[in-house]
């Protein structure tokens, strides 16, 4: 039987289930289909036959939009697999970063973000500095979230 399971190249799933009660502030969770960083959490007690409910407020890790969700503490929520990777910045062309990974692989598919990080990247590049850009990745989306000076 020839079955094709189209998926990520790493073979890892994009999310994994975690019980609501095990989630923590500053952790990650999927809210309304978006990968969020939990910024507030509270648990409410309920009636004698009910479940405790967990109220979560999360900020989308890519857009910083605020999302809220309430779920019974015994239920599972999806947690996004979030990775951070450092790439050396080689160039900026038409608003896209030219980045080189540790493996020598060059990528040119990540935009300069419209944020303070983006401004810092542009300034360092203009000044001819050598620096590393941290790329946050989850759910097939990627964003430059940090800049580090390279010291030789």
């Amino acid at each position: 039987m020839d079955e094709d399971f189209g998926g990520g190249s790493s073979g890892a799933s994009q999310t994994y289930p975690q019980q609501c009660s095990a989630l923590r502030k500053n952790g990650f969770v999927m809210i309304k289909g978006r990968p969020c960083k939990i910024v507030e959490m509270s648990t409410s007690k309920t009636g004698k036959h009910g479940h405790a409910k967990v109220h979560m407020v999360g900020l989308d890790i890519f857009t910083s939009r605020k999302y809220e969700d309430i779920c019974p503490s015994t239920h599972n929520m999806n947690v996004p697999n979030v990775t951070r990777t450092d790439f050396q910045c080689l160039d900026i062309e038409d608003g896209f970063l030219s980045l080189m990974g540790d493996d020598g692989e060059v990528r040119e598919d990540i935009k300069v973000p419209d944020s303070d990080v983006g401004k810092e990247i542009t300034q360092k590049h203009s000044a001819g500095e050598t620096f590393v850009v941290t790329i946050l990745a989850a759910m097939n989306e990627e964003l430059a979230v940090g800049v580090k000076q390279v010291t030789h």
Side-chain angles (χ1 to χ4, degrees):
M1 209 146 80
D2 211 27
E3 290 186 41
D4 180 30
F5 293 104
S9 56
S10 65
S13 71
Q14 294 183 339
T15 62
Y16 59 92
Q18 192 170 19
Q19 195 166 318
C20 256
S21 56
L23 296 169
R24 294 286 169 261
K25 190 174 169 180
N26 293 329
F28 298 106
V29 70
M30 296 296 294
I31 301 179
K32 297 182 175 53
R34 297 293 303 161
C36 295
K37 180 176 187 167
I38 301 167
V39 289
E40 281 173 51
M41 273 187 94
S42 57
T43 309
S44 59
K45 297 276 183 274
T46 47
K48 56 184 177 184
H49 298 298
H51 290 282
K53 292 223 182 338
V54 178
H55 174 239
M56 278 176 280
V57 178
L59 293 179
D60 187 309
I61 58 177
F62 296 112
T63 65
S64 296
R65 267 188 63 189
K66 192 174 188 177
Y67 290 93
E68 292 187 54
D69 206 355
I70 295 176
C71 75
S73 62
T74 53
H75 277 214
N76 279 346
M77 293 278 288
N78 281 331
V79 176
N81 277 315
V82 178
T83 59
R84 297 173 84 97
T85 315
D86 287 346
F87 292 94
Q88 185 175 342
C89 184
L90 303 175
D91 200 3
I92 298 175
E93 205 167 303
D94 298 331
F96 282 88
L97 296 167
S98 178
L99 303 169
M100 186 168 72
D102 292 341
D103 54 3
E105 194 81 15
V106 174
R107 302 189 45 183
E108 295 175 333
D109 57 344
I110 296 175
K111 272 193 148 119
V112 176
D114 193 11
S115 64
D116 291 345
V117 171
K119 290 188 190 89
E120 193 181 345
I121 290 171
T122 308
Q123 284 168 350
K124 283 189 180 306
H125 178 258
S126 302
E129 294 178 34
T130 304
F131 59 99
V132 168
V133 178
T134 303
I135 302 296
L136 186 76
M139 305 300 295
N140 290 333
E141 285 187 61
E142 292 173 304
L143 179 69
V145 293
V147 182
K148 284 196 291 246
Q149 199 61 43
V150 175
T151 49
H152 291 292

